[in-house]
Amino acid sequence: MEGDTLRVTVKNRLQQEGTSVHWHGVPLVNPMDGVPGATQTEIAPGQDFVYEYVAPTAGTYFYHSHVGLQLDRGLYGALIIESAQEQKKYDQDVALVLDDWLDGMPGIPEDAMKKLIVGGDKMNMAGMGMSALNMPPDIVYPTYLINGKPAEHPMEVMVKKGQKIRLRFINAAAATIFHIALQGHQMMVTHTDGQPVEPVEVDTIRIGMGERYDVVVTANNPGVWQLAASVEGAAPQVRALFRYQGSVGQTPAATFAPPELKGKMLQYAMLKAAATIVVPPVDTPDLVVPLQLSGGNGQYVWKINGQVFNQADAIAIPKLGLISFQYENMSQMVHPMHLHGHFFQLDNGTGRGPLKDTVLVNPMQKITTNWVSDNPGTWAYHCHNAYHQMAGMMRFVKVS
Ligand SMILES: [Cu+2]
């Protein structure tokens, strides 16, 4: 519950690796943010660490290791902070965590990273000139999961006719953008990255790594339906089943792609912050930060303003300023850019753009986000493609 104190003891029982836990999207106090080098040292093998903070803002979040490629080995979980005020207009609340999985199939994420580096970004070159929605991903994984289950053994959401179901989609994948659709139904989008938006009804949602969407589905079409998450730019999909109680309908095949995947897709320009949300004033920023995203072109190196993380200084941000991050993606890959410790407002042309903490920046696209630097400390700021992050696309920003 919002306002509650969360106390979590992390016991690192890995044999040889340090770890940490980052509370993705939660605008918490800096020392609890879980970023080695910025807010703490790694929790050494055999050691414990206690995270304790007041849950500041209701919403759908997740937590994950912020060390190396541990996120891609499954060190993550859903974090739902309930609102004390919100009136519940739904009968069921279901979190659905999407993931891409290669660990042990065979090899480990570090092997995948080596292949990417040796390959010199061939996938990226293959995608030259394609639209953002069919760019091949860095890695086509051997399997994909929803709540730990592959398409052949899907999890089932059991519903009754007449119910309203809140679905919370969390993309915990390391390198996969998904398109989500529910066969036979539309989805009413109510939140992005935990924060409420004016409801908008769509057939399909594009969700980047680190993004979250909450939707409400009205169960008005009995049957057994495919809830599909299709991999952007590649053939595979993963699915859950949406099963009405008492329904004798046939179960769709694992690979069946609902026609809704080609229906009305949620665009950022359709999202407006809910009326209850205070958005930053957008007129006169105190600091404009141009952020050029680059990399690829035959080398698996990803940069912000021409520098990789370990060559760059922290970006100095004045406290309590209005900060404008102005992206220009000069590369041929999509980058889900994530800011720790703050929500930003996406400038999507509506004047009331949604508050988010992660935004997909498409190839050759320019995007502006504005945020108020009201949370002092050193915060990480990076691409949420774990492999791009490891290959340099990260910075610290120091709010002081
Ligand atoms: Cu990236």
Side-chain angles (χ1 to χ4, degrees):
M1 188 74 73
E2 223 172 352
D4 281 355
T5 296
L6 187 69
R7 185 183 302 118
V8 178
T9 303
V10 176
K11 301 178 175 211
N12 183 5
R13 299 298 177 261
L14 300 171
Q15 295 298 306
Q16 291 168 1
E17 292 183 45
T19 194
S20 75
V21 173
H22 167 58
W23 312 90
H24 180 107
V26 181
L28 42 50
V29 290
N30 189 254
M32 295 294 115
D33 197 47
V35 177
T39 67
Q40 67 173 102
T41 54
E42 287 185 11
I43 310 166
Q47 299 297 118
D48 297 354
F49 186 89
V50 179
Y51 291 93
E52 184 172 330
Y53 58 91
V54 175
T57 311
T60 302
Y61 304 96
F62 71 123
Y63 58 92
H64 61 79
S65 164
H66 219 279
V67 171
L69 291 164
Q70 291 176 2
L71 167 69
D72 208 16
R73 300 187 78 169
L75 295 188
Y76 65 75
L79 174 65
I80 312 297
I81 302 178
E82 298 269 12
S83 167
Q85 286 90 34
E86 187 191 301
Q87 282 211 316
K88 289 191 177 154
K89 295 181 187 145
Y90 47 87
D91 305 293
Q92 286 196 58
D93 187 344
V94 183
L96 295 156
V97 186
L98 312 177
D99 193 11
D100 45 19
W101 193 271
L102 57 80
D103 194 29
M105 297 190 74
I108 58 174
E110 284 71 15
D111 300 330
M113 182 82 198
K114 273 180 215 144
K115 263 188 230 163
L116 286 169
I117 291 167
V118 170
D121 192 39
K122 277 199 201 85
M123 290 298 267
N124 183 205
M125 301 302 276
M128 288 289 274
M130 297 177 101
S131 99
L133 294 181
N134 56 17
M135 289 289 308
D138 294 70
I139 300 169
V140 177
Y141 283 71
T143 194
Y144 297 85
L145 309 171
I146 295 180
N147 289 1
K149 291 177 179 280
E152 306 78 51
H153 305 284
M155 77 160 279
E156 300 202 354
V157 181
M158 293 293 298
V159 306
K160 285 184 196 162
K161 187 164 188 262
Q163 281 188 332
K164 286 192 186 297
I165 322 295
R166 180 177 190 164
L167 302 173
R168 300 173 186 257
F169 297 111
I170 300 169
N171 187 351
T176 304
I177 299 168
F178 291 97
H179 297 186
I180 301 166
L182 174 56
Q183 183 192 6
H185 299 75
Q186 286 202 305
M187 299 181 286
M188 179 82 81
V189 178
T190 61
H191 298 71
T192 180
D193 296 356
Q195 295 299 296
V197 293
E198 287 184 14
V200 51
E201 203 152 51
V202 298
D203 295 310
T204 182
I205 294 173
R206 179 185 192 220
I207 185 169
M209 300 75 95
E211 285 192 298
R212 291 89 65 211
Y213 284 100
D214 295 16
V215 305
V216 173
V217 172
T218 302
N220 56 7
N221 192 7
V224 185
W225 302 105
Q226 192 92 304
L227 176 52
S230 164
V231 174
E232 182 170 287
Q237 73 168 22
V238 60
R239 50 93 179 249
L241 291 172
F242 200 76
R243 185 186 295 275
Y244 283 70
Q245 205 174 62
S247 183
V248 292
Q250 252 202 321
T251 302
T255 54
F256 172 73
E260 285 79 3
L261 282 169
K262 292 196 160 62
K264 179 184 173 190
M265 177 181 277
L266 181 69
Q267 311 287 332
Y268 283 152
M270 296 175 190
L271 291 171
K272 282 184 168 182
T276 51
I277 292 287
V278 179
V279 298
V282 289
D283 34 5
T284 46
D286 298 299
L287 180 67
V288 172
V289 183
L291 294 163
Q292 198 183 73
L293 310 176
S294 66
N297 289 323
Q299 246 197 322
Y300 203 81
V301 178
W302 300 98
K303 298 174 178 176
I304 298 173
N305 289 344
Q307 287 177 301
V308 293
F309 173 64
N310 57 17
Q311 291 171 353
D313 293 327
I315 301 170
I317 304 282
K319 199 163 59 177
L320 291 175
L322 176 65
I323 313 302
S324 187
F325 272 16
Q326 304 192 342
Y327 299 102
E328 187 174 11
N329 184 354
M330 304 300 290
S331 78
Q332 295 297 324
M333 291 298 280
V334 186
H335 303 290
M337 299 306 295
H338 172 55
L339 175 65
H340 289 214
H342 303 77
F343 292 107
F344 52 75
Q345 186 188 24
L346 178 63
D347 179 358
N348 64 354
T350 65
R352 285 279 302 170
L355 293 192
K356 289 177 67 60
D357 52 64
T358 308
V359 61
L360 283 170
V361 188
N362 289 330
M364 308 316 286
Q365 191 185 26
K366 289 183 183 178
I367 278 192
T368 295
T369 66
N370 298 303
W371 53 286
V372 176
S373 52
D374 56 3
N375 199 357
T378 298
W379 301 99
Y381 162 72
H382 60 91
C383 177
H384 222 279
N385 179 316
Y387 293 84
H388 292 186
Q389 180 186 352
M390 285 296 283
M393 198 170 262
M394 170 153 151
R395 276 289 187 289
F396 289 152
V397 301
K398 191 172 183 192
V399 177
S400 61

